[in-house]
Amino acid sequence: NDGERVQHVFKFKNTGKGPLSIKNVQAMCGCTTPEWTREVIPPGGEGRIVATFNSSGRGGPDNPLVEKSIEVFFDNAIRDYINLTFVSHIYSEKENY
């Protein structure tokens, strides 16, 4: 519902042979706040990125489906970055669904 804060956790595992570190995580808009594993992740270790989305003012009949993305930048990985996305249906309190 419009106004709720929703979290999604992206979990991952370092399947490489060396340590992995996340240099930075950037949300593509101000309504999403990322938090992430700051420690170096050893081979076989696990990490997570938490996206907190503030839906305030984004619900309604004209735009109930919203897609948001977060870019994750790595220091020492085969890929420099990866883009994570999530989709949310946001309804205003005035709607009857």
Side-chain angles (χ1 to χ4, degrees), residues 28-94:
M28 301 315 293
C29 71
C31 61
T32 304
T33 306
E35 295 178 32
W36 63 94
T37 301
R38 305 264 181 177
E39 300 81 21
V40 174
I41 303 160
E46 296 182 352
R48 63 188 212 143
I49 298 166
V50 179
T52 303
F53 172 62
N54 181 356
S55 67
S56 184
R58 290 172 173 74
D62 297 333
N63 191 19
L65 180 63
V66 176
E67 181 174 305
K68 298 295 176 182
S69 63
I70 297 172
E71 288 185 322
V72 182
F73 298 91
F74 300 102
D75 256 342
N76 48 353
I78 294 172
R79 296 178 71 174
D80 292 338
Y81 77 96
I82 190 168
N83 192 37
L84 304 173
T85 60
F86 62 92
V87 177
S88 179
H89 288 276
I90 305 168
Y91 302 102
S92 69
E93 291 182 20
K94 297 176 185 175

